[in-house]
Amino acid sequence: MRLVNTTTLTLHTFFDKAVPDYVILSHRWDDEEVTFQDFQSGRGPGMPGYAKIQGCCAKAKSEGWEYAWIDSCCIDKSSSAELSEAINSMFKWYERARLCYAYLSDVDGKLNVPAQLERSAWFTRGWTLQELLAPTIVIFFDRHWSDIGSKRSLGNRLSRITGIRDMWDYRSCCIAEKMSWAAHRRTTRVEDEAYSLMGLFDVNMPLLYGEGEKAFQRLQQEILKSSNDESLFAWYSMEDNGTILASSPRSFAG
């Protein structure tokens, strides 16, 4: 696992039990995010996305945390093996983080925060579902890195926005209900509609970018190997895909 030192803004690699305490960032990707290659080559400081890294590290350092995990620069996405390991491990990484900082770049705490939360694109992205549920503590920040509340303090509002009745007892919900939470979320790559849900259903599978909607069917097949919950078949679609498995999370929309 690769982490950013919050003081030096340099990357460090740790394995297994040697991984130190860390905070983790949840955010929506914007233009010109700083990748691992950008970070290593020294291009990062000149890119718009670097301010987000600086903000996350500054906040973490001010609260006494030495390390932070930021997906854009901590994963070498040019390595298919590393990307596969990261995506298969990501739910656990968020779960094990001491804190999760949810950075909402489209919210300004100086204005009407409740209304802005309702419209924030952070709640429409596929990956942020697990980033909301997996960590015990999630602190929300606006574009200025001002604290606007936590998963606990904003609980009722978050439930209304996401459709998740209980953020703390989500594991007891049936498969169909969990799928419904992702029904109105979107990912840039169609395969990520499935890959972003692996941790929520506690399954692992290889990544095959290019397989399209087959990824979601593979996800359901993996779920069936460890669950007898028949609500997996409680979906509806106007399109006949010739199988008892849904072609996307959208089929579970209530």
Side-chain angles (χ1 to χ4, degrees), residues 69 75 81-91 93:
W69 188 85
I75 304 173
E82 181 171 331
L83 179 61
S84 181
E85 179 184 2
I87 290 180
N88 274 276
S89 304
M90 203 168 293
F91 192 92
W93 288 351

Side-chain angles (χ1 to χ4, degrees), residues 79-247:
S79 167
S80 58
E82 181 171 331
L83 179 61
S84 181
E85 179 184 2
I87 290 180
N88 274 276
S89 304
M90 203 168 293
F91 192 92
K92 290 182 179 178
W93 288 351
Y94 274 90
E95 193 172 42
R96 293 171 181 171
R98 298 302 299 270
L99 286 173
C100 175
Y101 294 160
Y103 178 70
L104 278 52
S105 61
D106 54 359
V107 172
D108 187 336
K110 299 175 183 177
L111 304 175
N112 186 337
V113 172
Q116 290 179 85
L117 278 177
E118 299 279 348
R119 299 191 299 268
S120 177
W122 188 87
F123 294 102
T124 70
R125 306 306 298 165
W127 290 104
T128 56
L129 175 59
Q130 67 174 4
E131 295 164 14
L132 172 65
L133 292 173
T136 301
I137 303 173
V138 181
I139 309 297
F140 290 86
F141 294 93
D142 73 354
R143 66 178 63 173
H144 307 294
W145 283 99
S146 296
D147 185 334
I148 55 174
S150 68
K151 181 163 71 170
R152 186 169 295 280
S153 69
L154 296 170
N156 291 335
R157 187 170 300 279
L158 295 178
S159 291
R160 288 196 297 272
I161 295 171
T162 63
I164 303 170
R165 293 174 295 169
D166 190 338
M167 300 283 173
W168 315 103
D169 190 32
Y170 65 89
R171 294 183 187 276
S172 67
C173 296
C174 71
I175 290 173
E177 184 171 359
K178 292 177 182 176
M179 289 290 190
S180 73
W181 302 336
H184 300 291
R185 293 172 177 263
R186 298 293 178 265
T187 58
T188 302
R189 301 288 297 270
V190 65
E191 295 88 354
D192 286 337
E193 290 183 350
Y195 302 157
S196 63
L197 294 174
M198 291 193 297
L200 181 59
F201 292 103
D202 196 21
V203 300
N204 297 98
M205 61 186 199
L207 310 187
L208 300 172
Y209 282 106
E211 67 176 326
E213 292 182 347
K214 291 181 181 178
F216 190 66
Q217 297 203 356
R218 280 203 299 128
L219 172 69
Q220 294 167 90
Q221 291 166 355
E222 290 299 318
I223 293 172
L224 284 171
K225 292 178 182 179
S226 59
S227 174
N228 58 5
D229 182 353
E230 296 183 356
S231 74
L232 178 62
F233 308 116
W235 57 272
Y236 173 78
S237 175
M238 295 290 289
E239 301 176 3
D240 181 8
N241 62 7
T243 174
I244 61 172
L245 300 177
S247 58

